[in-house]
Amino acid sequence: MDTVTLDDINLRLLDVLQTQARLTSAQVSEHLGLSQSACLERWRRLEKQGVIRRYRTDIDVDRVASNIRVFCEVSLDPDRPEALRPLIADCMAVPEVVSIYRNDGPYHLLVSVVCRNVRHYHDLTDALIARNPAILRFSGHVVLHRIKVFQGYPLGLLTGKTLPPVTPAPLQTTQAPLRLDGLHLKILTTLQTEGRLSNLALAERVALSPSPCLERVKRLEQHGYIAQYVTEIDLERCLPHLYVMAEVSLGNHGIEEFRRFEAAMASFPEIISSYKIAGPFDYTMDIICRDWDHFRALEQRLAALCPALCGLRVAEVKQRLKHFAGFPLPMLTQPG
């Protein structure tokens, strides 16, 4: 894969767009101190080079439908390496499998699954295991709570450059639920993978006139169903980095220790997302660093802030096989 060298202006452009994908070219050019035409030229070039993969919408799926989210660690028979490819193909074809990672660590694949309920999850995983007899271990960690929402990659830390702080305006203004109908679900499903779709195009897609379509989108934002609009950056194309998934055990399960650890996670931009999970570990974290030295320094700082930290199991992500492309909302909202 050809790599792309980013100058300071392109780094700032990506940084401001990471969690504000619906900004206009006029707003971005003002932030960068560029003319609108120069800003657009850089923006389009980053899209063409594949540095910007796509634009998506971060949806609070827990507000849309009851669901169970499980991170599944999958290990295969080491004497059957040929079984990996058909397993990946099977997982890719299942809409409830929202992401797949090939890892270098205690398991071969990390498969993220979202289902309506426990029965749905067991039926799905039983079918996968039955079709892939080379699976030796299929262990799931149920997500109890999302602790840290993705807030962008730490582009400044990865490049050693100081970037101006970016503070996106929060979309949510009320926790009051909406009565969602089929049109709301169509809007959310469409925006999940097309975060910069214009209101006119969205209205045509969901068979609404533009004005009521825009009103529905605004209400979904105001009521917290739409959390943010994300620009997906392909780090493999532009910046050397280390992607690590780490599972955490705390030696003390007191409320204050949990709070202390969650506050510490929030303070590290390298920890791009984290979840509280059930099972032998207490948390899982996605971490982006420059290299292993950077990661070890982060690990030491985290341990210094949280003396209750007693275990950290690490797996390096070697390949993202299935990028997150949204939740299967129609399936999650089916009865049963």
Side-chain angles (χ1 to χ4, degrees), residues 106-318:
Y107 49 89
H108 293 97
L109 297 178
L110 191 287
V111 179
S112 178
V113 179
V114 179
C115 293
R116 289 189 300 274
N117 49 43
V118 173
R119 186 182 68 181
H120 182 191
Y121 167 74
H122 282 305
D123 288 346
L124 184 150
T125 54
D126 287 349
L128 280 175
I129 293 169
R131 290 195 300 270
N132 295 272
I135 293 176
L136 291 181
R137 179 172 170 268
F138 201 107
S139 176
H141 303 289
V142 176
V143 172
L144 301 176
H145 184 56
R146 182 163 68 164
I147 302 298
K148 187 173 184 179
V149 179
F150 177 74
Q151 296 171 346
Y153 295 125
L155 299 181
L157 288 173
L158 293 178
T159 57
K161 297 180 179 180
T162 302
L163 301 178
V166 177
T167 308
L171 294 176
Q172 186 172 328
T173 59
T174 176
Q175 285 287 335
L178 287 175
R179 186 182 295 274
L180 298 182
D181 58 22
L183 286 171
H184 287 120
L185 291 175
K186 284 183 179 180
I187 289 170
L188 290 172
T189 299
T190 303
L191 286 177
Q192 280 195 111
T193 54
E194 298 180 77
R196 280 189 62 83
L197 193 66
S198 70
N199 181 63
L200 182 60
L202 177 62
E204 291 176 354
R205 194 79 63 85
V206 301
L208 274 176
S209 57
S211 181
C213 180
L214 182 61
E215 176 63 24
R216 284 174 177 265
V217 171
K218 293 299 182 187
R219 286 178 63 79
L220 288 168
E221 292 174 352
Q222 292 164 359
H223 288 260
Y225 293 85
I226 292 175
Q228 61 185 354
Y229 298 98
V230 176
T231 299
E232 282 194 11
I233 299 170
D234 190 343
L235 286 183
E236 283 75 18
R237 285 192 177 273
C238 58
L239 290 175
H241 66 284
L242 171 71
Y243 186 178
V244 167
M245 291 180 171
E247 292 160 319
V248 177
S249 298
L250 299 185
N252 183 336
H253 284 180
I255 293 176
E256 286 306 314
E257 294 303 329
F258 282 124
R259 288 176 178 167
R260 182 178 292 112
F261 185 74
E262 291 173 12
M265 285 193 294
S267 70
F268 288 93
E270 297 97 327
I271 300 174
I272 58 171
S273 64
S274 61
Y275 298 85
K276 192 170 185 4
I277 57 175
F281 299 97
D282 297 306
Y283 296 94
T284 181
M285 306 183 294
D286 289 70
I287 303 171
I288 298 286
C289 291
R290 290 185 300 275
D291 49 34
W292 281 109
D293 287 342
H294 184 183
F295 172 78
R296 292 186 188 99
L298 181 148
E299 184 180 6
Q300 291 172 2
R301 289 160 56 207
L302 191 59
L305 288 172
C306 305
L309 176 61
C310 68
L312 196 67
R313 190 177 72 159
V314 173
E316 180 184 356
V317 175
K318 290 297 188 181

